[in-house]
Amino acid sequence: MPPAPAPLHRRALTWLRRSENSALIALALVIGAAAGFGAIAFRWLIETATLFFSGHADYSAVTDHAPHPWVPWLGGFFVVLAPAVGGLIYGPIIHRWAREARGHGVPEVMYAISKRGGRIPVKVAFVKALASAITIGSGGSVGREGPIVQIGSALGSALARAVKLNESQVRLLVACGAAGGIAATFNAPIAGVFFAMELLLVSFAARTFAAVVLSSVTASVIARSILGDEAFLTLPEFHVSHVGEYGLYAVLGLLAALVAIGFTKALYWFEDVADKIWKGPEWLRPGVGGLLLGLLLLVIPQMYGVGYPVLENAVMGEYVIGFLVVLLLAKVVATSLTIAIGGSGGVFAPSLFLGAMLGAAFGQALAWMLPDAGITPGAYALVGMAAVFAGASRAPITAVIILFELTGEYTIILPLLLAVVVSTMLSSHLSKESIYTAKLRRRGVDLTVRPGTAALTGVSVDTLMRKAPRTVSTTLPAADAVEFLLTSGRKSLPVITEHGEYVGVVTLSSAAGAITQDEDASEVTVSQLIEWRDYVSPDAPVADVLDRMLEGESNDGLPVLDDDGNLVGWLRTEAVLRRMSSAV
């Protein structure tokens, strides 16, 4: 009698594990669909919560301190109580069911991918969605991108673990969920892809890229079919009037970097102060702290919620310079205070807000000082949005693409690229950490540290280096170089000139390619095959050169040169990895 067939779900799991590529594609589509519907539900939650707590679709667009229709006798003073009431609701929810849902979300996903094999409890998706919607709806001055990244990532993690995928596949599907969430929330499928690749995976491998793209596109299609296909901002066409404006955009990039660094420092300074001051139960902290946020909203109601209408007004030139500066400073305080008291929400939208205020104020100042230069302040506001986000997140590719998709404005792409690069470079020089990694660093988590690197502490290159391999001359024929490489059993050999100067390496692949593909192979010499290979000094810490060793063709080691430029040794990758593995 033949054995009974296995249950359908077990057969499906077996197929998924055996057909890896097909399985990842199928799962990416499922996760994209889940992230798309999740983003739609999350937006609905925010809109419902905002209407419940404020009585308006978006209270930041209200400028006359309009009362809540349910409590008209309070007048505009209801905004003092709204964040406190919201805090009393979401505070206990986060404390009881998912404390990782507190804060802006992206660092937790980065930590899960890097240190926990992509494992994120599925309950985080539901707690994060509810807590963030209440935070934003009750006046919290945060964004919705951080929550949707965490929501989509949790869904991806749960599905990947349910079908028992390995850790690398779980990480990939976590990134698929994040990309789908961003794509659906902001109607920006390309930006969703690069957000996941640049910030979460830090990888652009072909298979990874394909899965993330499919997830992002699927989520975006679902969201567009329900929410519509309109750009985030509807704007007139901007352009650069004179080539000299590029210098002004570079200055804007410098200012954006300073704002980004200032925002990051203020965010965590507020958290530190709140931690020192608050001595009560954590679940009560959002309710009590919400009163302070409410007082700020009473003075500047434009800080209520995400604040997209205010951002659009700034781009369109509705505010004067002085008020733009006030809004910029108030947003730093409002967002920092929301996160510090235990609120749940992202910092991406606040970064865009700060950039818009900075750019609009800078553009208006230029238009006043240079009335005949054809300055368009709105263009500077758009560029400022991307530049501040790039400076805060250190994700320049995402910054450029997401602004283009959010606005549909391509005419200022050149000044946009310039300002983003300047902002990223300056902010990286001024601060090692981004607004996301700084949160993890404060917990003692360094995502750049590889396992086992503790064993390299205090170890210099001269401790682990070996005798330098045989060198080859620049005049050596390629055929002889192949023979030397095969005899030595090495992938590469150092190349020196007739004066003994190190000029790079010759690899087995390049030398073999020359003698098999070049019709005049007998005339090819090593000088035509040299590839630069960075070198290290004997007294350099091994931990500092580890990344260079593991990059590309450097994985067979690095040459060691003394202060006079003489080749004195070779740091083999095997020796370093053996030292690390002994500690692990």
Side-chain angles (χ1 to χ4, degrees):
M1 182 176 181
L8 180 61
H9 71 280
R10 289 191 178 180
R11 282 181 283 165
L13 292 179
T14 301
W15 175 80
L16 286 172
R17 287 193 287 269
R18 289 180 178 176
S19 308
E20 181 179 347
N21 291 333
S22 300
L24 288 175
I25 295 301
L27 292 173
L29 293 173
V30 173
I31 290 170
F37 286 115
I40 293 169
F42 181 52
R43 288 186 61 171
W44 177 83
L45 281 174
I46 293 175
E47 292 169 0
T48 302
T50 302
L51 193 61
F52 175 83
F53 283 101
S54 72
H56 298 78
D58 193 330
Y59 197 76
S60 66
V62 178
T63 59
D64 56 355
H65 292 84
H68 194 299
W70 296 354
V71 284
W73 47 274
L74 280 177
F77 284 91
F78 83 92
V79 296
V80 177
L81 299 177
V85 174
L88 290 175
I89 298 174
Y90 69 75
I93 292 175
I94 292 176
H95 187 76
R96 173 64 178 81
W97 282 289
R99 297 185 186 183
E100 57 266 56
R102 174 184 172 184
H104 46 99
V106 175
E108 284 72 20
V109 177
M110 296 170 71
Y111 177 76
I113 289 177
S114 178
K115 303 296 184 181
R116 299 184 59 193
R119 294 185 296 275
I120 304 175
V122 68
K123 64 180 180 180
V124 171
F126 300 99
V127 175
K128 188 71 176 180
L130 184 59
S132 297
I134 296 173
T135 299
I136 296 171
S138 62
S141 194
V142 285
R144 61 192 185 205
E145 94 296 336
I148 197 57
V149 165
Q150 204 167 3
I151 292 167
S153 297
L155 294 175
S157 176
L159 180 58
R161 288 182 289 116
V163 298
K164 303 185 185 306
L165 298 183
N166 60 47
E167 282 198 358
S168 65
Q169 294 168 333
V170 173
R171 293 188 185 98
L172 174 57
L173 295 185
V174 166
C176 287
I182 289 289
T185 299
F186 295 105
N187 191 16
I190 303 176
V193 171
F194 281 94
F195 185 95
M197 305 288 282
E198 191 175 20
L199 279 171
L200 302 181
L201 290 179
V202 198
S203 167
F204 290 86
R207 187 184 69 166
T208 300
F209 188 77
V212 174
V213 167
L214 285 173
S215 180
S216 182
V217 169
T218 302
S220 186
V221 168
I222 290 174
R224 288 183 179 188
S225 65
I226 298 176
L227 302 176
D229 186 16
E230 297 181 359
F232 171 71
L233 295 175
T234 303
L235 305 168
E237 185 173 302
F238 295 121
H239 63 278
V240 178
S241 301
H242 189 273
V243 68
E245 274 197 77
Y246 287 104
L248 300 177
Y249 280 106
V251 174
L252 177 59
L254 296 175
L255 296 175
L258 298 178
V259 169
I261 295 296
F263 177 43
T264 301
K265 291 186 179 299
L267 183 69
Y268 296 113
W269 181 84
F270 269 80
E271 277 199 2
D272 289 339
V273 171
D275 290 340
K276 291 179 181 178
I277 293 177
W278 182 252
K279 303 301 180 184
E282 282 300 309
W283 63 266
L284 187 59
R285 179 164 155 174
V288 176
L291 293 173
L292 293 176
L293 178 60
L295 292 173
L296 176 60
L297 297 178
L298 180 64
V299 179
I300 309 178
Q302 288 84 357
M303 295 299 105
Y304 197 106
V306 182
Y308 286 142
V310 183
L311 186 153
E312 186 169 4
N313 288 340
V315 175
M316 299 301 294
E318 299 294 328
Y319 304 133
V320 297
I321 295 177
F323 190 56
L324 289 168
V325 174
V326 170
L327 291 175
L328 188 153
L329 297 175
K331 191 67 173 181
V332 171
V333 174
T335 301
S336 301
L337 185 57
T338 303
I339 297 296
I341 65 175
S344 176
V347 294
F348 169 76
S351 297
L352 294 183
F353 188 102
L354 296 177
M357 301 307 124
L358 171 68
F362 184 70
Q364 287 188 28
L366 291 176
W368 176 73
M369 291 186 293
L370 306 170
D372 300 324
I375 300 293
T376 308
Y380 286 84
L382 288 181
V383 171
M385 290 164 61
V388 171
F389 172 67
S393 67
R394 313 294 161 76
I397 301 175
T398 303
V400 171
I401 293 176
I402 203 164
L403 185 81
F404 171 65
E405 285 197 288
L406 290 180
T407 64
E409 187 62 49
Y410 183 76
T411 55
I412 55 170
I413 189 67
L414 294 181
L416 175 64
L417 288 168
L418 176 62
V420 163
V421 168
V422 170
S423 177
T424 304
M425 292 178 62
L426 179 59
S427 60
S428 299
H429 176 73
L430 295 177
S431 175
K432 181 179 179 181
E433 304 297 334
S434 72
I435 197 168
Y436 298 127
T437 60
K439 183 174 183 178
L440 297 175
R441 176 78 73 167
R442 286 157 53 84
R443 297 178 184 171
V445 177
D446 185 356
L447 298 181
T448 64
V449 174
R450 300 176 185 271
T453 52
L456 303 179
T457 303
V459 179
S460 58
V461 169
D462 57 2
T463 304
L464 299 181
M465 74 179 188
R466 297 293 182 264
K467 181 180 177 180
R470 178 177 183 176
T471 61
V472 296
S473 169
T474 55
T475 59
L476 187 73
D480 292 342
V482 171
E483 184 66 26
F484 288 170
L485 284 159
L486 292 174
T487 302
S488 66
R490 300 181 60 84
K491 297 179 181 179
S492 63
L493 288 173
V495 181
I496 61 172
T497 66
E498 57 184 0
H499 303 294
E501 179 186 0
Y502 168 78
V503 290
V505 299
V506 58
T507 65
L508 181 60
S509 59
S510 63
I515 65 173
T516 58
Q517 299 177 14
D518 199 314
E519 296 180 358
D520 299 321
S522 60
E523 299 180 7
V524 178
T525 63
V526 168
S527 62
Q528 298 168 262
L529 306 174
I530 295 173
E531 298 178 12
W532 176 251
R533 176 76 59 80
D534 201 5
Y535 60 87
V536 295
S537 62
D539 57 351
V542 176
D544 293 349
V545 303
L546 182 60
D547 287 339
R548 278 185 282 169
M549 292 190 65
L550 301 178
E551 288 177 358
E553 294 297 329
S554 299
N555 57 17
D556 66 336
L558 296 172
V560 182
L561 274 63
D562 62 16
D563 294 338
D564 297 324
N566 299 314
L567 183 66
V568 295
W570 194 271
L571 182 61
R572 297 291 297 270
T573 306
E574 291 88 343
V576 177
L577 295 180
R578 191 176 296 112
R579 183 67 172 257
M580 293 171 62
S581 63
S582 64
V584 175

